[in-house]
Amino acid sequence: MKCLLVASESAEVLFYWADPEFEQNIRDQYGPRQYEGDTYPAFEDSFNTLFAPLIISCSTLIEKINDTYTSFITENAHLYILHQFGECLYIAVNGDGEESKEDLRRKIYVMKKLIEVHLGMVTLNSALLRKELRPQDTEQRIQLWKMLQSLLETYSLLREQDQSFLVEAVERLIHPTLCEQCIEFLERRVVQQINGSPERAGEEVLHAFILVNTKLLAFYSSRNASSIKPSDLLALILMVQNLYPSNNELDDTALELSTQPVCSSSGSISIQRAGGKGSTSTNTTYSPSTTQEGPEGSSVPEVFYTPEPSPTGRESDAAEMEGESTPVFQFIDPDVQVAEDSLKTQEAQPPDPATPRRVFLEATFKEGYCPMMPHSMYCLPLWPGISMVLLTKIPNSQVAVSLYQFLEAFTMLEKKLSEGQEGGSLPRTQPPLSELRNKLDKFIRALGSNEIQLQNTWTDFKNKAFSRAAQGTSRELLMSCHAMKTRLCAVYRQYFVVQSHRSPQRLSVSLQEKALAMMQEKLMDWKDFLLVKSKRNITMVSYLEDFPGLVHFIYVDRTAGQMIAPSLNVTDLSTTELGKGPLAHFIKSKVWSLVGTAWRYLQKRYTTVTLRDGDYYFCYFLWFESETGYKLEGIELPVLSEDSAPIGMLAGDYYRKLLRYYSKDHHTEIVKCYELLTIHLGVIPTDYILQHCCELAKKLWEPTRIPLL
């Protein structure tokens, strides 16, 4: 019984998502309705009928007392969470008790983030946002809503099953040499060749990265590119998982092995692969290794999987990596599963890899800053579970930077006028306003005759602000400022949102296929290894000797937006350090509970939490360090209201704001923020547990030789 709704002040449904139980509840409440053709508008009308009184009530309260309710529980125990963003009202509902207020509030903010990534600065204007979220064409509206519904469902599944989305940080695939080689290959063989090709249609590849399921193998950015914000990268990973979801069943079939090894004369171990009915069994050879290197820095005897040598002359590359950090032989199910039947009511066609998707990401250049810079995103599937993503700079993208700068200028001007500045027209001698006038005149001339409406609106503003013959009042200037902001957003929409659906301009299909083939050739010997490694990235085995009683930990570098944690596998087919079946599920539930508890205390400004829960002992720490690793003194964290953005990166980017807040008193050094969450057995003495946490944090802080973003 779950639902999320976006509506306008006039009770118009701009977007909705509901699970099958909620949909059935609405059908039962309003009775069956027969419509010819598509039944989508009929169900939408039922949604509108159900929520219209609530939406109108909120609008009335805001109009009368400039306030409204943020949450309530109905008689049938349905929990409602409401949040107003501009003129759009977001409503999240839960009727089965599986989601708390915090969960629903987080879902609302994540939905807002996903809409911003897809629509950019159009979200800053309510009227234009309504046009984009609710197109007049019914077929176009259904397609857009299904895409957003699919993203929301994918996010919900990943948050339930993947640790990186639980703590909202990017997880790297731990294999330094392969990572470095892939970064070099992306730079020299992919990015440089595409950017030097005449078939790129004016686009320029700024970023390229490789994903194995939800884990990041390699990331390359060109020299003139802005860095990718961690929250934007996490949103891109979510989009890739939505386009090409992980398939557990294929991985299980590929990784099921018998448990009886046979020693060969060379000292390697031959494992017989169990074949199904009518199939022949095959032998795979595994070489024993004495150590396993990883960020944990310790070594234990393990058995490793060695990829089969390639007959095409790439044996040398494979030999270089044979002794590196490779996965333990205990094959297990992946942490992340996005079921193919999760979108039961949606019948979307498979995406065309050659068709880019327009995304809007934060970027900082020498020319200026733009929080929603347009990019084209090409997601090229190498194999199931492994994808290469290209982010390109599109032609005329610098127009977005200028539009944002003008938009910010008019926002500041509007704020000054609304604060009570009186006296008619604005002073013509004010340098910032005079500079704005000159820049905007040049900008409109550069756009040419295509933007007559913007030119007319700007002329009207200049007449009221600068002309002595027609001096406008503060109220008239406020209206002109608002009109200018609307026109600037409309130009942005026309250039980067509307034209992205119409223009065929993109990297040529042959260029994409060439890049895809080169990367497939590079990773051909390693595709099976990477899929296994993504499921067994880091294990607890290497930590048990140094930290007896440690059950699990999560270490997060909030400055880089990256996390390290042992793999959690809870399927019934595999046995790991966590046990098998119900025990593994129990430990996983404890980890998820610890993260929620830690964030609730962090919202109350507690940076250290230790508590006992039955047979387990939980610890949570948040601290700040200098770039050299020197621990900085703690501070009083800012107070958060109950209806503020949830803690995390996707929902409001709390840690980025926290770093900015702390750095106010540390101007001369770079401040870094870290988190550590641990679970110990309750029989371990408290003193030892705290000592373990300190030593574990030092161990994990040590350089891992993994290239940073």
Side-chain angles (χ1 to χ4, degrees):
M1 291 289 289
K2 302 176 180 67
C3 164
L4 189 141
L5 175 78
V6 182
S8 65
E9 291 182 332
S10 59
E12 185 179 31
V13 176
L14 304 180
F15 167 77
Y16 82 87
W17 168 85
D19 65 0
E21 291 78 10
F22 198 94
E23 290 185 1
Q24 187 60 43
N25 182 58
I26 289 183
R27 290 190 179 94
D28 294 341
Q29 184 174 353
Y30 292 96
R33 298 184 179 183
Q34 298 297 330
Y35 285 83
E36 296 181 0
D38 197 351
T39 60
Y40 205 89
F43 188 75
E44 182 185 322
D45 291 341
S46 300
F47 243 85
N48 196 17
T49 303
L50 176 65
F51 286 97
L54 176 60
I55 299 169
I56 296 173
S57 174
C58 289
S59 301
T60 304
L61 286 173
I62 292 176
E63 182 181 355
K64 298 295 183 182
I65 63 175
N66 197 27
D67 196 7
T68 186
Y69 30 75
T70 58
S71 66
F72 61 86
I73 300 177
T74 60
E75 293 180 352
N76 57 356
H78 284 200
L79 174 62
Y80 284 70
I81 299 295
L82 303 90
H83 204 289
Q84 188 89 19
F85 293 105
E87 297 178 7
C88 294
L89 179 65
Y90 286 66
I91 304 174
V93 185
N94 181 266
D96 53 20
E98 294 182 357
E99 295 175 308
S100 63
K101 289 183 179 180
E102 190 71 15
D103 294 329
L104 295 180
R105 190 172 291 113
R106 184 178 304 279
K107 186 182 291 187
I108 286 175
Y109 275 86
V110 169
M111 189 72 249
K112 178 176 178 288
K113 170 70 175 180
L114 294 176
I115 293 175
E116 289 174 348
V117 170
H118 281 86
L119 297 180
M121 289 198 303
V122 172
T123 58
L124 302 180
N125 185 275
S126 300
L128 297 177
L129 180 59
R130 287 198 298 270
K131 291 182 180 180
E132 285 301 317
L133 284 181
R134 191 180 175 86
Q136 293 183 352
D137 182 66
T138 303
E139 195 171 309
Q140 184 180 354
R141 181 166 74 249
I142 293 174
Q143 184 178 4
L144 173 65
W145 286 8
K146 283 184 176 181
M147 183 269 293
L148 293 175
Q149 290 167 351
S150 176
L151 282 171
L152 188 60
E153 291 189 350
T154 301
Y155 164 76
S156 299
L157 284 171
L158 290 176
R159 181 163 174 79
E160 291 175 0
Q161 300 175 5
D162 193 275
Q163 293 183 94
S164 63
F165 280 85
L166 172 67
V167 299
E168 297 187 2
V170 178
E171 185 173 4
R172 301 296 299 266
L173 201 66
I174 309 298
H175 197 296
T177 301
L178 182 58
C179 176
E180 291 174 0
Q181 289 192 7
C182 286
I183 291 176
E184 183 179 358
F185 191 87
L186 287 173
E187 176 187 8
R188 298 183 179 180
R189 299 294 303 278
V190 177
V191 175
Q192 289 184 4
Q193 287 197 18
I194 292 178
N195 290 343
S197 172
E199 301 178 23
R200 60 188 178 95
E203 296 193 1
E204 177 188 355
V205 179
L206 298 179
H207 309 278
F209 58 93
I210 302 172
L211 292 175
V212 184
N213 292 321
T214 58
K215 295 178 177 61
L216 184 65
L217 171 62
F219 191 104
Y220 171 75
S221 296
S222 60
R223 295 180 180 179
N224 59 339
S226 172
S227 60
I228 291 287
K229 191 170 66 168
S231 59
D232 286 341
L233 180 57
L234 201 62
L236 295 177
I237 295 175
L238 170 61
M239 293 171 61
V240 174
Q241 274 293 299
N242 180 64
L243 288 172
Y244 304 105
S246 304
N247 192 329
N248 239 7
E249 295 180 0
L250 288 177
D251 296 335
D252 291 342
T253 302
L255 298 175
E256 280 185 2
L257 300 172
S258 65
T259 59
Q260 294 185 355
V262 179
C263 291
S264 65
S265 59
S266 63
S268 62
I269 299 177
S270 178
I271 301 297
Q272 191 173 44
R273 194 181 296 264
K277 181 180 289 188
S279 65
T280 59
S281 62
T282 59
N283 291 332
T284 306
T285 300
Y286 297 83
S287 301
S289 174
T290 56
T291 61
Q292 178 185 10
E293 272 190 290
E296 54 268 29
S298 60
S299 60
V300 293
E302 298 279 4
V303 178
F304 293 97
Y305 168 68
T306 302
E308 295 181 359
S310 169
T312 59
R314 293 186 297 273
E315 292 86 355
S316 59
D317 290 341
E320 290 178 11
M321 304 179 190
E322 187 171 355
E324 293 264 324
S325 171
T326 46
V328 183
F329 170 59
Q330 296 174 342
F331 294 105
I332 43 169
D333 296 332
D335 296 328
V336 185
Q337 178 184 359
V338 184
E340 292 181 351
D341 59 349
S342 61
L343 310 178
K344 295 180 180 178
T345 62
Q346 303 174 16
E347 299 179 357
Q349 295 296 323
D352 180 9
T355 303
R357 176 173 289 188
R358 183 60 48 85
V359 293
F360 299 89
L361 312 173
E362 182 177 312
T364 303
F365 304 97
K366 294 180 179 179
E367 299 83 359
Y369 164 79
C370 182
M372 301 175 189
M373 190 75 173
H375 297 74
S376 285
M377 172 184 170
Y378 296 83
C379 184
L380 308 179
L382 303 174
W383 297 281
I386 306 177
S387 301
M388 178 172 63
V389 180
L390 305 177
L391 292 174
T392 65
K393 175 184 177 181
I394 63 175
N396 299 325
S397 60
Q398 286 304 116
V399 174
V401 179
S402 299
L403 287 171
Y404 176 74
Q405 292 174 345
F406 295 138
L407 193 62
E408 280 288 283
F410 279 102
T411 300
M412 292 297 297
L413 186 59
E414 189 178 41
K415 181 180 178 181
K416 291 179 179 180
L417 290 170
S418 62
E419 286 176 351
Q421 285 190 4
E422 297 181 358
S425 62
L426 295 171
R428 291 187 296 274
T429 57
Q430 187 178 357
L433 196 58
S434 176
E435 184 180 351
L436 172 65
R437 178 178 183 175
N438 295 332
K439 288 184 176 180
L440 195 48
D441 282 336
K442 293 179 181 179
F443 177 74
I444 292 177
R445 283 196 300 269
L447 291 180
S449 59
N450 296 329
E451 299 299 334
I452 298 297
Q453 291 181 333
L454 175 62
Q455 186 173 357
N456 294 338
T457 307
W458 173 233
T459 301
D460 180 68
F461 177 85
K462 288 192 294 184
N463 291 335
K464 294 178 180 178
F466 300 102
S467 175
R468 296 184 179 182
Q471 291 185 351
T473 64
S474 295
R475 181 176 179 83
E476 291 175 340
L477 288 173
L478 269 173
M479 295 177 63
S480 295
C481 276
H482 182 73
M484 276 299 302
K485 290 172 61 178
T486 300
R487 288 313 314 163
L488 291 170
C489 288
V491 173
Y492 181 95
R493 172 177 176 261
Q494 185 64 33
Y495 267 74
F496 306 115
V497 180
V498 176
Q499 290 186 3
S500 67
H501 303 301
R502 302 174 180 174
S503 176
Q505 188 177 33
R506 62 188 183 188
L507 299 179
S508 67
V509 176
S510 62
L511 198 59
Q512 296 182 50
E513 291 176 347
K514 184 178 179 181
L516 184 67
M518 287 191 300
M519 186 53 68
Q520 285 178 329
E521 183 181 1
K522 172 67 178 177
L523 296 178
M524 179 64 71
D525 295 331
W526 299 98
K527 61 176 182 178
D528 294 331
F529 162 76
L530 290 173
L531 291 173
V532 175
K533 183 66 175 173
S534 71
K535 303 167 187 64
R536 195 78 166 172
N537 195 22
I538 299 174
T539 69
M540 279 296 300
V541 173
S542 302
Y543 295 91
L544 296 180
E545 183 178 352
D546 294 332
F547 306 102
L550 179 63
V551 177
H552 193 72
F553 70 85
I554 300 177
Y555 177 81
V556 189
D557 180 350
R558 287 299 178 184
T559 307
Q562 300 180 19
M563 57 89 70
I564 297 175
S567 300
L568 279 175
N569 302 281
V570 295
T571 59
D572 296 330
L573 298 178
S574 62
T575 302
T576 66
E577 308 90 80
L578 296 180
K580 185 176 181 180
L583 178 59
H585 282 281
F586 178 75
I587 299 298
K588 177 178 178 290
S589 67
K590 290 294 182 182
V591 174
W592 260 244
S593 174
L594 170 60
V595 173
T597 301
W599 280 356
R600 282 194 296 272
Y601 277 101
L602 183 59
Q603 190 169 17
K604 298 177 182 178
R605 300 190 296 168
Y606 290 94
T607 57
T608 301
V609 179
T610 60
L611 57 92
R612 185 181 297 274
D613 183 7
D615 297 328
Y616 299 93
Y617 199 90
F618 293 165
C619 292
Y620 168 76
F621 305 94
L622 180 143
W623 71 98
F624 299 92
E625 292 182 3
S626 64
E627 192 175 16
T628 58
Y630 178 76
K631 186 176 180 181
L632 303 176
E633 61 181 3
I635 60 169
E636 285 289 333
L637 300 185
V639 180
L640 299 179
S641 60
E642 291 187 359
D643 61 340
S644 61
I647 291 174
M649 287 199 319
L650 277 175
D653 212 345
Y654 166 81
Y655 294 97
R656 193 182 190 195
K657 298 175 182 176
L658 183 61
L659 278 165
R660 192 181 299 121
Y661 178 84
Y662 190 91
S663 300
K664 290 180 180 178
D665 298 328
H666 296 79
H667 301 287
T668 59
E669 55 187 342
I670 298 177
V671 178
K672 295 180 176 293
C673 177
Y674 298 92
E675 280 182 310
L676 178 64
L677 302 94
T678 63
I679 300 180
H680 283 79
L681 295 175
V683 296
I684 307 298
T686 306
D687 293 342
Y688 283 98
I689 291 177
L690 297 179
Q691 182 180 354
H692 281 181
C693 293
C694 293
E695 295 176 356
L696 181 62
K698 293 178 182 178
K699 194 180 191 71
L700 293 169
W701 185 88
E702 294 174 359
T704 61
R705 297 185 294 115
I706 303 175
L708 299 177
L709 293 178

